[in-house]
Amino acid sequence: MTLLSSRPPQPVEPGLLSRALEVAGRLANDATDVITATAGRGAHPDTKDSPFDWVTDTDRILERHTRRVLAAEFPGIPVVGEEFGADHGADIAEYRWVVDPVDGTANYVAGVPWCAYSLALIDASGPVVGVVADPYRAQIYAAARGRGARANGKPIKLMDRPSPAGAIVCTELTRTGPWPGMGEFIQRAAAAHAGVRVLGSAALSIAQVALGHATAAVLHSYSEWDVAGSVALAIEAGAVVLDRHGEDTALPADGVLVATPSVADEVLSWWQETAALL
């Protein structure tokens, strides 16, 4: 479903942007309350494809709540969610919502304070509005096309740096474990004096770039609902978003690099070179 044109993006009616931001922010606050009240306390997990691919009562409850609110506020705009799939016509609609109710569910189940709620409105150019709740840090990150990105209402703008040396680069495992070439990628980062972190939430990994905590994030594979909200943040904060071939694409079909502009080419070369070794 990730068939998106390159930027510059198409304009969006201002009223829709404002309403979408307001409603998404309310839903993110609701999710924060639920996640912080229940994390690590009898989450009743079921597994999907692997023992660490969890789904919990909280995932289902939050996605149902999100769908009910969005259906009432934006009738006719379909929803795509991790737990309950895509509404009819989502693949051809002008706009669609995508939601991951708990990104980092294994962390949530264990009580590790690193998971997120992610919600985004998407059109053919990419994210229109994105909201990511970071419950354990009591932060709501929000962005809208052309309006910048904010953390708890305060504007954020990533700080570019000339080199990855001394910086953090985030990545994530795939559903089945390390991605092909991941070890070599980490070695290349270490040789450039950068530290690689695998923390367990794709949404928060990308958000760290927007917030200036990391200089890049590489996801070898992902689901749209995992990252659309945080990609909106990154774009509005000034980050570069590339596919594995170096093309400027908001939500590429086969892996994504999000980086500060000055280091994007170097980190991309690590990713491309490790893939070439396989």
Side-chain angles (χ1 to χ4, degrees):
M1 192 180 293
T2 312
L3 302 175
L4 301 169
S5 61
S6 297
R7 296 194 296 277
Q10 61 193 45
V12 180
E13 196 274 314
L16 174 60
L17 280 178
S18 297
R19 283 200 311 120
L21 262 179
E22 190 273 327
V23 172
R26 281 196 282 120
L27 286 166
N29 276 296
D30 293 345
T32 292
D33 292 342
V34 172
I35 289 170
T36 54
T38 58
R41 304 179 189 131
H44 306 298
D46 297 325
T47 59
K48 291 182 180 178
D49 298 330
S50 79
F52 289 99
D53 193 10
W54 302 104
V55 59
T56 70
D57 293 343
T58 302
D59 291 270
R60 299 185 186 98
I61 289 166
L62 285 176
E63 186 167 323
R64 288 191 183 105
H65 174 62
T66 297
R67 286 174 177 272
R68 281 194 300 269
V69 171
L70 294 178
E73 297 281 354
F74 302 94
I77 297 183
V79 179
V80 181
E82 180 176 22
E83 306 309 330
F84 300 110
D87 289 344
H88 178 70
D91 56 338
I92 58 173
E94 180 180 9
Y95 296 103
R96 66 182 179 274
W97 289 99
V98 294
V99 59
D100 189 345
V102 184
D103 181 57
T105 311
N107 286 347
Y108 164 77
V109 169
V112 175
W114 193 260
C115 67
Y117 169 88
S118 178
L119 177 64
L121 180 65
I122 293 176
D123 67 6
S125 299
V128 172
V129 164
V131 174
V132 176
D134 185 351
Y136 293 103
R137 273 150 290 280
Q139 294 284 318
I140 304 294
Y141 312 127
R145 185 176 292 167
R147 296 189 181 183
R150 295 177 180 267
N152 281 4
K154 296 181 179 180
I156 57 175
K157 195 76 175 177
L158 88 171
M159 299 295 292
D160 202 2
R161 55 189 303 153
S163 163
I168 295 296
V169 175
C170 295
T171 190
E172 295 294 335
L173 301 172
T174 70
R175 291 184 181 275
T176 57
W179 42 269
M182 184 174 175
E184 290 80 3
F185 178 86
I186 293 172
Q187 289 176 2
R188 277 169 167 72
H193 307 290
V196 176
R197 298 293 182 268
V198 181
L199 298 171
S201 167
L204 290 182
S205 288
I206 292 175
Q208 301 319 298
V209 181
L211 294 165
H213 301 154
T215 196
V218 174
L219 301 179
H220 191 78
S221 62
Y222 66 90
S223 296
E224 188 177 64
W225 50 72
D226 294 331
V227 304
S230 55
V231 166
L233 299 173
I235 290 171
E236 289 299 316
V240 174
V241 182
L242 303 174
D243 66 15
R244 67 178 67 243
H245 307 292
E247 296 296 324
D248 177 26
T249 307
L251 288 172
D254 187 21
V256 64
L257 164 66
V258 179
T260 57
S262 294
V263 307
D265 286 344
E266 183 171 353
V267 178
L268 177 65
S269 73
W270 305 342
W271 191 20
Q272 292 175 331
E273 288 165 8
T274 56
L277 295 174
L278 301 176

